[in-house]
């Protein structure tokens, strides 16, 4: 990572923390300078406008999420086209997929909680600022991946069901993070949490594939 890229990543990480703590109102160039422990004016020098700052946050979130997925051997890029030649996913493969998704979700509820909160803050801001809707691109990539995986698992309508799978999993994360699920689910970061998430994801995969 170049010196400039490293500084932008540091600024973006500081911005993510501010977003998670106080939402969009907390995000200013001056506040990012202070949180990143960098001289006043640094954020403005690298990310001149508020839009540029938010776009840097969006890119940073996508990069870190991609790293988490790769660490758990989940797809990190959308396939160029549905890979009918790829190995089929049977019961064992779906078990492994559910476990991997559960591990990632549990991470996003614990060490990645700040990023998850910042992501939702950006999504809400994008509703009112169309120029920021690029944050939705990452979700589009995940849907393409899910369609491909479900096609390999024999789902009857992988395009529609792949989109639904991502939506349901994202809803599960949101419920555990800020919804009523936070009151009744096992504590994040525990084996019980990961098992509960795995069982939920596996039940969803079974409903889509019959396997």
């Amino acid at each position: 990572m170049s010196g400039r890229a490293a500084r932008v990543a540091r600024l973006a990480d500081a911005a993510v923390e501010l977003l998670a703590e106080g939402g969009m109102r907390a995000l200013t160039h001056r506040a990012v300078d202070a949180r990143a422990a960098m001289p006043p004016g640094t954020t403005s020098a690298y990310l001149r406008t508020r839009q540029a700052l938010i776009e840097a946050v969006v890119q940073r979130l996508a990069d870190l999420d991609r790293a988490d997925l790769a660490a758990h051997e989940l797809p990190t890029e959308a396939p160029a086209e549905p890979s009918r030649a790829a190995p089929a996913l049977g019961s064992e493969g779906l078990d492994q997929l559910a476990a991997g998704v559960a591990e990632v979700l549990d991470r996003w509820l614990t060490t990645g909680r700040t990023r998850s909160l910042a992501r939702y803050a950006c999504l809400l801001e994008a509703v009112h600022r169309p120029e920021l809707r690029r944050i939705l691109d990452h979700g589009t990539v995940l849907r393409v991946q899910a369609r491909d995986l479900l096609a390999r698992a024999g789902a009857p309508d992988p395009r529609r069901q792949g989109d639904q799978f991502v939506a349901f999993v994202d809803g599960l994360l949101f419920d555990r993070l800020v919804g009523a699920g936070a009151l009744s689910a096992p504590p994040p970061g525990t084996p019980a949490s990961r098992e509960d998430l795995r069982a939920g994801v596996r039940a969803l995969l079974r409903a889509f594939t019959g396997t």
Side-chain angles (χ1 to χ4, degrees):
M1 183 180 291
S2 69
R4 176 183 173 81
R7 282 188 286 274
V8 170
R10 180 175 169 183
L11 294 170
D13 287 339
V16 165
E17 293 177 4
L18 290 168
L19 283 169
E21 292 173 7
M24 281 293 172
R25 290 181 298 178
L27 187 64
T28 67
H29 285 73
R30 182 177 298 179
V32 173
D33 288 339
R35 179 57 62 93
M38 300 184 80
T42 301
T43 305
S44 295
Y46 285 92
L47 304 164
R48 184 171 298 278
T49 65
R50 182 176 175 82
Q51 180 175 338
L53 176 56
I54 296 175
E55 288 179 348
V57 169
V58 170
Q59 185 60 56
R60 182 64 171 161
L61 290 172
D63 290 344
L64 293 173
D65 286 353
R66 191 176 298 113
D68 279 346
L69 294 170
H72 291 88
E73 298 183 352
L74 297 175
T76 60
E77 301 293 342
E81 60 184 40
S83 54
R84 296 185 180 280
L89 278 177
S91 179
E92 183 177 348
L94 292 174
D95 288 344
Q96 294 173 352
L97 176 60
V101 171
E103 290 282 348
V104 171
L105 290 177
D106 192 62
R107 176 174 173 79
W108 289 350
L109 290 167
T110 52
T111 57
R113 183 176 186 274
T114 295
R115 282 159 40 202
S116 297
L117 291 171
R119 184 185 307 107
Y120 288 127
C122 289
L123 287 169
L124 288 172
E125 182 76 0
V127 172
H128 307 290
R129 300 182 61 181
E131 69 272 19
L132 299 179
R133 291 180 67 81
R134 191 173 65 83
I135 191 173
L136 301 178
D137 291 346
H138 185 52
T140 300
V141 171
L142 292 176
R143 279 165 167 74
V144 174
Q145 294 167 350
R147 294 170 194 167
D148 185 64
L149 289 168
L150 288 178
R152 290 166 51 196
D157 189 356
R159 180 179 181 84
R160 180 173 61 88
Q161 292 170 315
D163 291 357
Q164 291 174 339
F165 176 77
V166 174
F168 291 156
V169 169
D170 191 50
L172 178 60
L173 175 65
F174 186 87
D175 180 62
R176 297 294 176 87
L177 188 69
V178 298
L183 302 176
S184 58
T190 64
S193 173
R194 290 186 290 275
E195 172 55 26
D196 191 59
L197 290 166
R198 184 208 63 78
V201 174
R202 188 63 181 92
L204 182 60
L205 289 168
R206 188 174 296 110
F208 284 147
T209 66
T211 302

